[in-house]
Amino acid sequence: MGVEAIIGRCQGLLEDLDLACVSEWKAAGEGRKAIGFLPVYVPRELIHAAGALPVGILGAGEELEIVRGDACFQSYICHIPRSTVELGLRGKLDALDGALFPSTCDVIRNLSGIWQLMFPEKEAIYFDVPQNLDPQVGGVFYRGLLAEIVTRLQRVVGRDVGADDLRAAISAYNASRRLVRELYDLRAAEPWRVPTSEAYLLLRAGMRLPVEEHNELLANYLTAVRDEDRALRDNARIVITGTFCEQPSLDLIRTLEHAGCYVVDDDLMLVTRWYGPDIRTDGDPLDAIAEAWMSADDETPCRYVADGTRKGQQLVDSVRRCGAEGVIFAAPSFCDPALLDRPMLQAVLEEEGIAYTSFKYSENTAQLQPIREQAGTFADTIKLWSDA
Amino acid sequence: MKSTVIKEPSMVQQKEMIADHFQQLAEAAEHGRKVVYTFVPGNLTELMLGFDTLPVHPEINALQSGMRKLSGSYIAAAERVGHSEDVCTYVKCDIGMLLDGNVGPTGKKLPDPDLLLLSYTGCFTFMKWFELLRERYDCPVAMLHVPYQADGEATEEMIAYVARQLETEVIPKLEQVTGVAYDRDRVREHMLRSRVAEDDLVAVLEAAKHRPSPIDAYFGGVYYIGPMFTAFRGTEAAQAYYRQLRSEVDARVAAGQGPITPEGLLDEERFRIVVEGPPNWTHFREFWKMFYDEGAVVVASTYTKVGGVYDRGFRHDPDRPLESLAEYCLGCYTNLNLPSRVDMMADYVRDYAADGFLINSIKSCNSFSAGQLVMLRHIEDATGIPGGFIETDLVDPRYFSSSNVKNRLESYFQMLAQRSSGQEVESA
Ligand code: SF4
Ligand code: SF4
């Protein structure tokens, strides 16, 4: 499959708000179940091991008019809970048999309760990842939580989940993370070859497809795109941060690119590339998943950084590693985690002499011209300084 | 309504306790006392007292700044240094106060913390708040992760996890900062005192089941919970305060009196209301007046449970101090899932024979506000009573529209009046 066909398929999946692809997958096998999950992190391995399809619930983008979802929320709140409720009330999440709500923030936390109240027939599992990273304390709690989630998933799918099922799932997702890392490395090295709009569509496809199929798609893309003849432009290399939960629209991502930015790193779709090394496949698989979380030094605004001197360091490292020339803080409106983190991260960038600019968006931001102008000016300024 | 301002002994007592506390804070350095900044929900006061530390609660400073009409300029100062208009205004108010010299409500500068005790019970923003303060103070942080009661219960695993963190994270840091060793018996003694005061507080809150209610359990309630939710739980002073308060409320019940408002005793109780959500602090008096002018008395509120749900049976248990503190943290109101919050509100409406219920949705507080409109519908279904909904903020004066709030409240009370006269006609 060529790049165009792969990206066309991903685009189709992104636009599949009714989750027809999930219904089709379920219909293809006896008793198949699908479990949704919200950003930022859940171990999809558990769902896969239970034979169910993990499906990302990532809002409705710019496509859906929000009517009933708006009636459920106060004025000052980000967009993702509105669109999630809208999708649910319009029957667009009917293909899901339950959902995991990670402890990302108070909004997603409360959304788990809204789901319980509105969709009582569906499973609602709150996923309270520990902030205490001591293996004997947070680790023990987390191991227990994983076991509890497996038990609940077993109830949904109506069968037992064994250690080998979990190991096979870990292997499949290790392969996925390796491919995603390869994609990100290639984009950082040759951003003209891998536009972020394409990388993003590929990752979004992973929120719908079974992991094995998605891995094949990623591998095919990585082969095909290396043969593409794509022109190198004099764009500014930037890192985007703040987009870890409510997603910017594809148009917004394209707008940044058209404004002269090569995105060389970002925090979009973090669930696809958590932790550094692979999760081990020997020993107890739940221990292995817990250890991976406890030892990962991935930083997001949803995770407590115990060592204050490390705060923001990951962003600086990303800028250096990817050869970025600046950072764009793109945060969803009314997003406490992203917006409260921002001044701390900006202070670190200032100390390091790294240029940045900031704006807010929502998944359905229609007016992209101001963002285009701001990003364009930022890119021009960066180029001016780097050429001087 | 009688127009004389009544100052009951308990009010004087509380004022003195607060003044004394701020005096101690002002003299902390002189006396070698260590200062711990911490939050109201999930506060570990008995444990902190066991190390002879002095607590500072940034939310209380923020609400005091709101009441003293300083929060607007503090928030503006925080926004000038890069904080977004969109985020929790308590945080910005605190940062602004810090930028302005960290002068507390008594006009004295607050001491810097020796420890930031970050228990983020019921709200993720607490974590960001202390990450931000950590940048400005050179002191350790003890972080206590309190899991969420997503399925409506505190499990054994959750309790063990929180208790283990107290042992391995919080106590060692308190020991390190104070140089005092953890003394289980000392903490137990404070917990014994807490229990007594907790019984008295519950008796006060439940007195609102009388008709007329002798208290306002929201506007008046925020004063009643003050000592229990802050530096005093577990002290002799708090014990004495609640004993006194209870006797005053008992006397009002015996005399068939209504609550005391800023304009004196309320003579006629027209509407009994349950309220969900925190109050607005910048226009607190004006907001309260909108209720008592209509004869509306709040008979139960959820805000008065953010620092503990004593009326639902929780008591500090000196025989299992750390587990009991863990249960306390897990049980604070905003750590309860939405179905539990709906149940609590519906129970209040029934148990306190309320005529209506109101939600005050706080602009910048997702912990409380996200999902309140869904709660509203479920409470209506459970009680058969229509609810009211208003939007304000805690401390950002830009988000309190007096005319808007007043109009909404007036229409709501009018609707309740029509409803009750309709019911009277039906039952006649
Ligand atoms: S966008 Fe921000 S505030 Fe909204 S749900 Fe996501 S993390 Fe929470
Ligand atoms: S979001 Fe709400 S609960 Fe959290 S700190 Fe702000 S006001 Fe308090």
Side-chain angles (χ1 to χ4, degrees):
Chain A
M1 225 198 273
V3 167
E4 206 176 315
I6 294 171
I7 294 305
R9 173 150 192 240
C10 295
Q11 176 97 35
L13 289 166
L14 177 89
E15 288 162 6
D16 179 10
L17 281 186
D18 292 307
L19 297 182
C21 58
V22 177
S23 302
E24 277 162 30
W25 179 86
K26 285 176 74 175
E30 188 69 20
R32 283 184 169 182
K33 305 286 183 196
I35 304 289
F37 61 87
L38 281 109
V40 173
Y41 168 74
V42 296
R44 290 175 295 166
E45 285 85 346
L46 305 189
I47 304 170
H48 183 276
L53 181 68
V55 179
I57 304 177
L58 298 155
E62 37 190 351
E63 301 306 323
L64 194 71
E65 197 195 342
I66 308 295
V67 184
R68 296 158 78 182
D70 270 353
C72 294
F73 292 99
Q74 74 276 21
S75 326
Y76 305 99
I77 192 168
C78 64
H79 213 260
I80 190 166
R82 296 175 197 276
S83 53
T84 304
V85 166
E86 184 78 23
L87 288 168
L89 289 173
R90 290 212 205 175
K92 290 176 185 292
L93 301 177
D94 283 357
L96 303 179
D97 300 285
L100 254 64
F101 297 84
S103 50
T104 297
C105 71
D106 296 318
V107 173
I108 290 187
R109 186 196 72 168
N110 287 12
L111 191 56
S112 71
I114 294 172
W115 183 277
Q116 288 169 331
L117 290 168
M118 288 183 135
F119 312 111
E121 69 291 352
K122 291 185 196 287
E123 187 79 16
I125 303 178
Y126 188 65
F127 183 63
D128 213 340
V129 280
Q131 298 284 1
N132 176 301
L133 298 183
D134 179 340
Q136 298 308 316
V137 184
V140 171
F141 174 73
Y142 191 37
R143 173 67 175 69
L145 177 73
L146 293 173
E148 163 69 17
I149 290 174
V150 170
T151 307
R152 290 178 70 168
L153 288 171
Q154 286 178 155
R155 276 208 301 271
V156 176
V157 297
R159 72 168 183 84
D160 285 348
V161 179
D164 284 339
D165 298 320
L166 285 160
R167 285 192 199 104
I170 292 174
S171 290
Y173 280 99
N174 278 342
S176 167
R177 285 184 282 266
R178 278 197 296 272
L179 286 161
V180 172
R181 272 202 298 276
E182 193 182 329
L183 177 72
Y184 267 59
D185 288 347
L186 179 61
R187 183 185 61 170
E190 300 174 43
W192 59 92
R193 189 174 296 287
V194 183
T196 294
S197 46
E198 289 186 5
Y200 180 66
L201 279 168
L202 280 162
L203 297 194
R204 283 294 293 252
M207 301 295 107
R208 297 275 192 272
L209 295 175
V211 61
E212 296 82 1
E213 203 178 331
H214 184 240
N215 286 352
E216 211 179 304
L217 197 75
L218 283 170
N220 287 342
Y221 176 86
L222 283 163
T223 307
V225 84
R226 287 188 164 99
D227 293 334
E228 289 278 302
D229 192 15
R230 289 179 157 172
L232 166 64
R233 292 179 206 284
D234 187 27
N235 280 1
R237 300 168 61 97
I238 58 112
V239 170
I240 305 180
T241 189
T243 55
F244 52 91
C245 183
E246 180 174 325
Q247 299 294 287
S249 66
L250 191 60
D251 279 349
L252 197 159
I253 293 172
R254 289 198 175 117
T255 297
L256 296 180
E257 295 187 304
H258 294 152
C261 297
Y262 279 141
V263 179
V264 289
D265 203 3
D266 59 57
D267 59 359
L268 293 155
M269 312 301 307
L270 283 179
V271 70
T272 59
R273 54 212 163 82
W274 207 266
Y275 349 97
D278 284 353
I279 304 183
R280 64 181 170 82
T281 47
D282 57 345
D284 178 81
L286 295 185
D287 279 348
I289 294 174
E291 271 167 37
W293 168 266
M294 307 304 282
S295 58
D297 53 10
D298 300 61
E299 186 184 325
T300 79
C302 314
R303 210 173 182 223
Y304 179 63
V305 179
D307 175 1
T309 63
R310 293 282 313 155
K311 184 82 193 173
Q313 209 44 55
Q314 185 175 284
L315 182 59
V316 173
D317 291 348
S318 147
V319 168
R320 304 278 185 243
R321 190 184 61 250
C322 301
E325 298 158 289
V327 171
I328 292 183
F329 288 90
S333 296
F334 306 112
C335 175
D336 260 21
L339 292 167
L340 284 164
D341 238 29
R342 205 170 68 179
M344 291 185 269
L345 300 180
Q346 289 176 343
V348 176
L349 294 189
E350 272 162 29
E351 263 173 41
E352 296 285 333
I354 298 168
Y356 64 82
T357 189
S358 320
F359 63 79
K360 290 188 288 188
Y361 67 89
S362 74
E363 59 177 353
N364 63 348
T365 298
Q367 289 299 324
L368 294 171
Q369 189 55 24
I371 292 178
R372 188 188 173 116
E373 281 166 18
Q374 189 182 344
T377 310
F378 183 58
D380 289 348
T381 316
I382 283 176
K383 294 315 299 177
L384 204 67
W385 281 100
S386 64
D387 291 346
Chain B
M1 193 180 297
K2 300 186 185 93
S3 60
T4 44
V5 178
I6 307 168
K7 274 255 184 278
E8 294 199 288
S10 65
M11 294 182 193
V12 178
Q13 219 168 323
Q14 179 168 171
K15 217 173 160 205
E16 284 169 5
M17 285 159 78
I18 294 170
D20 178 55
H21 179 66
F22 279 98
Q23 187 59 32
Q24 287 188 54
L25 281 169
E27 294 165 2
E30 260 168 71
H31 298 125
R33 301 279 300 274
K34 299 295 178 190
V35 175
V36 177
Y37 283 20
T38 197
F39 295 109
V40 169
N43 72 71
L44 303 167
T45 303
E46 295 84 355
L47 190 63
M48 289 189 279
L49 289 169
F51 288 92
D52 203 24
T53 57
L54 284 168
V56 169
H57 302 89
E59 313 107 295
I60 304 290
N61 294 338
L63 79 85
Q64 294 274 5
S65 303
M67 282 183 142
R68 291 184 300 137
K69 311 273 182 210
L70 293 169
S71 53
S73 65
Y74 289 160
I75 290 166
E79 287 177 0
R80 274 198 300 278
V81 300
H83 285 277
S84 167
E85 199 183 300
D86 288 2
V87 299
C88 168
T89 48
Y90 261 12
V91 179
K92 285 187 289 187
C93 184
D94 187 42
I95 303 262
M97 179 172 133
L98 201 157
L99 294 171
D100 198 46
N102 221 21
V103 175
T106 52
K108 297 192 174 96
K109 185 187 175 303
L110 290 170
D112 288 354
D114 296 292
L115 177 71
L116 293 168
L117 175 44
L118 162 56
S119 152
Y120 68 97
T121 304
C123 172
F124 284 86
T125 296
F126 287 144
M127 184 165 87
K128 299 284 108 187
W129 192 336
F130 271 13
E131 278 189 343
L132 284 159
L133 288 196
R134 178 175 68 184
E135 310 248 298
R136 296 180 180 268
Y137 296 117
D138 184 22
C139 76
V141 186
M143 199 274 289
L144 178 68
H145 172 207
V146 179
Y148 182 53
Q149 285 204 30
D151 294 309
E153 58 165 349
T155 63
E156 287 304 316
E157 290 77 14
M158 291 175 183
I159 296 166
Y161 173 43
V162 177
R164 274 295 282 155
Q165 291 178 79
L166 294 176
E167 264 167 1
T168 59
E169 165 81 2
V170 177
I171 291 177
K173 291 228 166 98
L174 280 165
E175 287 181 327
Q176 174 204 327
V177 162
T178 59
V180 174
Y182 170 57
D183 179 347
R184 188 172 182 271
D185 288 337
R186 217 175 140 191
V187 174
R188 291 189 58 212
E189 264 173 47
H190 288 298
M191 290 177 107
L192 269 171
R193 286 195 200 105
S194 296
R195 282 184 79 94
V196 178
E198 286 157 5
D199 283 343
D200 286 335
L201 170 66
V202 171
V204 167
L205 295 175
E206 291 191 339
K209 288 179 182 167
H210 288 274
R211 202 181 273 270
S213 168
I215 62 164
D216 184 288
Y218 187 53
F219 298 103
V222 301
Y223 293 102
Y224 302 151
I225 57 171
M228 186 65 84
F229 283 16
T230 58
F232 308 103
R233 198 181 61 222
T235 64
E236 279 169 13
Q239 215 176 318
Y241 167 80
Y242 283 103
R243 187 46 43 97
Q244 173 62 35
L245 177 65
R246 185 175 179 172
S247 70
E248 289 165 8
V249 171
D250 284 348
R252 284 212 288 282
V253 173
Q257 287 176 334
I260 297 173
T261 73
E263 293 179 40
L265 265 178
L266 184 78
D267 292 330
E268 195 201 347
E269 176 188 280
R270 289 183 63 219
F271 307 108
R272 297 169 65 82
I273 306 291
V274 174
V275 176
E276 145 76 12
N280 160 275
W281 302 112
T282 52
H283 299 70
F284 186 80
R285 284 281 175 94
E286 192 183 338
F287 192 25
W288 190 352
K289 189 171 164 57
M290 291 177 196
F291 282 70
Y292 63 71
D293 276 354
E294 299 280 341
V297 176
V298 182
V299 286
S301 67
T302 54
Y303 179 68
T304 49
K305 316 296 153 36
V306 288
V309 287
Y310 302 107
D311 64 333
R312 310 283 277 191
F314 174 79
R315 294 289 181 279
H316 282 87
D317 179 359
D319 292 334
R320 320 157 42 242
L322 299 188
E323 289 74 16
S324 175
L325 284 172
E327 284 164 2
Y328 162 72
C329 292
L330 285 157
C332 289
Y333 179 71
T334 44
N335 205 45
L336 307 181
N337 70 356
L338 260 55
S340 306
R341 287 170 57 183
V342 167
D343 288 347
M344 193 190 270
M345 283 290 291
D347 287 349
Y348 283 163
V349 169
R350 280 187 293 259
D351 296 349
Y352 288 79
D355 305 301
F357 72 92
L358 263 167
I359 291 179
N360 183 25
S361 173
I362 295 296
K363 178 239 170 198
S364 62
C365 178
N366 281 325
S367 171
F368 252 107
S369 310
Q372 278 175 326
L373 277 165
V374 180
M375 283 176 66
L376 181 123
R377 260 158 242 134
H378 284 263
I379 302 164
E380 286 182 341
D381 287 348
T383 60
I385 291 179
F389 190 84
I390 48 176
E391 280 188 287
T392 71
D393 190 54
L394 289 160
V395 286
D396 192 333
R398 290 172 296 189
Y399 297 99
F400 189 90
S401 159
S402 295
S403 53
N404 203 314
V405 173
K406 196 165 193 300
N407 279 343
R408 281 198 173 220
L409 286 176
E410 278 174 1
S411 335
Y412 184 67
F413 296 137
Q414 217 167 43
M415 188 271 292
L416 289 184
Q418 278 161 5
R419 225 176 146 257
S420 82
S421 62
Q423 277 165 355
E424 271 164 31
V425 171
E426 259 173 45
S427 61

PDB file of all heavy atoms in Angstrom, chain A residues 336, chain B residues 88 90 123 125-126 129 364-367 394, ligand 2:
ATOM      1  N   ASP A 336      -7.059  23.026  33.115  1.00  0.00           N
ATOM      2  CA  ASP A 336      -6.208  23.334  34.267  1.00  0.00           C
ATOM      3  C   ASP A 336      -4.830  22.660  34.185  1.00  0.00           C
ATOM      4  O   ASP A 336      -3.821  23.327  34.396  1.00  0.00           O
ATOM      5  CB  ASP A 336      -6.910  22.912  35.575  1.00  0.00           C
ATOM      6  CG  ASP A 336      -7.558  24.098  36.288  1.00  0.00           C
ATOM      7  OD1 ASP A 336      -7.809  25.123  35.617  1.00  0.00           O
ATOM      8  OD2 ASP A 336      -7.813  24.003  37.506  1.00  0.00           O
TER       9      ASP A 336
ATOM     10  N   CYS B  88      -8.154  27.731  37.750  1.00  0.00           N
ATOM     11  CA  CYS B  88      -8.700  27.877  39.095  1.00  0.00           C
ATOM     12  C   CYS B  88      -8.266  29.207  39.736  1.00  0.00           C
ATOM     13  O   CYS B  88      -7.081  29.497  39.857  1.00  0.00           O
ATOM     14  CB  CYS B  88      -8.215  26.704  39.957  1.00  0.00           C
ATOM     15  SG  CYS B  88      -8.546  26.945  41.707  1.00  0.00           S
ATOM     16  N   TYR B  90      -8.614  30.175  42.816  1.00  0.00           N
ATOM     17  CA  TYR B  90      -7.975  30.044  44.135  1.00  0.00           C
ATOM     18  C   TYR B  90      -6.454  30.061  43.979  1.00  0.00           C
ATOM     19  O   TYR B  90      -5.745  30.707  44.736  1.00  0.00           O
ATOM     20  CB  TYR B  90      -8.402  28.722  44.789  1.00  0.00           C
ATOM     21  CG  TYR B  90      -9.508  28.832  45.819  1.00  0.00           C
ATOM     22  CD1 TYR B  90     -10.258  29.983  45.959  1.00  0.00           C
ATOM     23  CD2 TYR B  90      -9.800  27.760  46.659  1.00  0.00           C
ATOM     24  CE1 TYR B  90     -11.267  30.063  46.900  1.00  0.00           C
ATOM     25  CE2 TYR B  90     -10.812  27.840  47.611  1.00  0.00           C
ATOM     26  CZ  TYR B  90     -11.536  28.983  47.726  1.00  0.00           C
ATOM     27  OH  TYR B  90     -12.539  29.060  48.665  1.00  0.00           O
ATOM     28  N   CYS B 123      -9.144  16.719  44.256  1.00  0.00           N
ATOM     29  CA  CYS B 123      -8.880  17.742  43.248  1.00  0.00           C
ATOM     30  C   CYS B 123      -7.449  17.648  42.735  1.00  0.00           C
ATOM     31  O   CYS B 123      -6.503  17.680  43.506  1.00  0.00           O
ATOM     32  CB  CYS B 123      -9.127  19.129  43.834  1.00  0.00           C
ATOM     33  SG  CYS B 123      -8.596  20.425  42.727  1.00  0.00           S
ATOM     34  N   THR B 125      -6.046  19.877  40.829  1.00  0.00           N
ATOM     35  CA  THR B 125      -5.424  21.197  40.759  1.00  0.00           C
ATOM     36  C   THR B 125      -4.525  21.453  41.966  1.00  0.00           C
ATOM     37  O   THR B 125      -3.550  22.198  41.880  1.00  0.00           O
ATOM     38  CB  THR B 125      -6.538  22.259  40.602  1.00  0.00           C
ATOM     39  OG1 THR B 125      -7.181  22.011  39.360  1.00  0.00           O
ATOM     40  CG2 THR B 125      -6.013  23.669  40.628  1.00  0.00           C
ATOM     41  N   PHE B 126      -4.839  20.809  43.082  1.00  0.00           N
ATOM     42  CA  PHE B 126      -3.963  20.945  44.256  1.00  0.00           C
ATOM     43  C   PHE B 126      -2.519  20.581  43.914  1.00  0.00           C
ATOM     44  O   PHE B 126      -1.565  21.186  44.411  1.00  0.00           O
ATOM     45  CB  PHE B 126      -4.433  20.019  45.383  1.00  0.00           C
ATOM     46  CG  PHE B 126      -5.690  20.471  46.078  1.00  0.00           C
ATOM     47  CD1 PHE B 126      -6.628  19.543  46.520  1.00  0.00           C
ATOM     48  CD2 PHE B 126      -5.936  21.806  46.311  1.00  0.00           C
ATOM     49  CE1 PHE B 126      -7.789  19.940  47.170  1.00  0.00           C
ATOM     50  CE2 PHE B 126      -7.095  22.219  46.956  1.00  0.00           C
ATOM     51  CZ  PHE B 126      -8.021  21.285  47.388  1.00  0.00           C
ATOM     52  N   TRP B 129      -0.968  23.333  42.073  1.00  0.00           N
ATOM     53  CA  TRP B 129      -0.847  24.490  42.977  1.00  0.00           C
ATOM     54  C   TRP B 129       0.477  24.394  43.759  1.00  0.00           C
ATOM     55  O   TRP B 129       1.250  25.348  43.820  1.00  0.00           O
ATOM     56  CB  TRP B 129      -2.045  24.463  43.937  1.00  0.00           C
ATOM     57  CG  TRP B 129      -2.287  25.675  44.751  1.00  0.00           C
ATOM     58  CD1 TRP B 129      -1.386  26.638  45.110  1.00  0.00           C
ATOM     59  CD2 TRP B 129      -3.545  26.058  45.332  1.00  0.00           C
ATOM     60  NE1 TRP B 129      -2.002  27.584  45.883  1.00  0.00           N
ATOM     61  CE2 TRP B 129      -3.322  27.252  46.028  1.00  0.00           C
ATOM     62  CE3 TRP B 129      -4.817  25.500  45.341  1.00  0.00           C
ATOM     63  CZ2 TRP B 129      -4.343  27.906  46.736  1.00  0.00           C
ATOM     64  CZ3 TRP B 129      -5.822  26.147  46.033  1.00  0.00           C
ATOM     65  CH2 TRP B 129      -5.595  27.326  46.721  1.00  0.00           C
ATOM     66  N   SER B 364     -14.428  28.243  38.060  1.00  0.00           N
ATOM     67  CA  SER B 364     -13.070  27.736  37.877  1.00  0.00           C
ATOM     68  C   SER B 364     -12.816  26.447  38.634  1.00  0.00           C
ATOM     69  O   SER B 364     -11.683  26.052  38.783  1.00  0.00           O
ATOM     70  CB  SER B 364     -12.075  28.799  38.313  1.00  0.00           C
ATOM     71  OG  SER B 364     -12.257  29.082  39.679  1.00  0.00           O
ATOM     72  N   CYS B 365     -13.845  25.772  39.099  1.00  0.00           N
ATOM     73  CA  CYS B 365     -13.591  24.578  39.899  1.00  0.00           C
ATOM     74  C   CYS B 365     -14.210  23.355  39.242  1.00  0.00           C
ATOM     75  O   CYS B 365     -15.367  23.031  39.464  1.00  0.00           O
ATOM     76  CB  CYS B 365     -14.146  24.753  41.313  1.00  0.00           C
ATOM     77  SG  CYS B 365     -13.922  23.285  42.329  1.00  0.00           S
ATOM     78  N   ASN B 366     -13.406  22.681  38.428  1.00  0.00           N
ATOM     79  CA  ASN B 366     -13.919  21.494  37.755  1.00  0.00           C
ATOM     80  C   ASN B 366     -14.208  20.364  38.724  1.00  0.00           C
ATOM     81  O   ASN B 366     -15.065  19.529  38.487  1.00  0.00           O
ATOM     82  CB  ASN B 366     -12.918  21.008  36.705  1.00  0.00           C
ATOM     83  CG  ASN B 366     -13.014  21.832  35.445  1.00  0.00           C
ATOM     84  OD1 ASN B 366     -14.085  22.263  35.073  1.00  0.00           O
ATOM     85  ND2 ASN B 366     -11.886  22.064  34.799  1.00  0.00           N
ATOM     86  N   SER B 367     -13.455  20.325  39.799  1.00  0.00           N
ATOM     87  CA  SER B 367     -13.640  19.259  40.766  1.00  0.00           C
ATOM     88  C   SER B 367     -15.094  19.229  41.236  1.00  0.00           C
ATOM     89  O   SER B 367     -15.729  18.185  41.260  1.00  0.00           O
ATOM     90  CB  SER B 367     -12.698  19.489  41.950  1.00  0.00           C
ATOM     91  OG  SER B 367     -13.004  18.608  42.979  1.00  0.00           O
ATOM     92  N   LEU B 394     -15.567  31.518  42.900  1.00  0.00           N
ATOM     93  CA  LEU B 394     -15.191  31.597  44.309  1.00  0.00           C
ATOM     94  C   LEU B 394     -14.663  32.991  44.652  1.00  0.00           C
ATOM     95  O   LEU B 394     -15.204  33.672  45.525  1.00  0.00           O
ATOM     96  CB  LEU B 394     -14.090  30.572  44.601  1.00  0.00           C
ATOM     97  CG  LEU B 394     -14.510  29.101  44.595  1.00  0.00           C
ATOM     98  CD1 LEU B 394     -13.296  28.208  44.392  1.00  0.00           C
ATOM     99  CD2 LEU B 394     -15.171  28.758  45.909  1.00  0.00           C
TER     100      LEU B 394
HETATM  101  S1  SF4 C   2     -10.245  23.425  41.376  1.00  0.00           S
HETATM  102 FE1  SF4 C   2     -11.764  23.649  43.010  1.00  0.00          FE
HETATM  103  S2  SF4 C   2     -11.225  22.164  44.599  1.00  0.00           S
HETATM  104 FE2  SF4 C   2      -9.473  22.412  43.215  1.00  0.00          FE
HETATM  105  S3  SF4 C   2      -8.186  23.961  44.160  1.00  0.00           S
HETATM  106 FE3  SF4 C   2      -9.495  25.022  42.712  1.00  0.00          FE
HETATM  107  S4  SF4 C   2     -11.285  25.638  43.906  1.00  0.00           S
HETATM  108 FE4  SF4 C   2     -10.196  24.074  45.097  1.00  0.00          FE
END
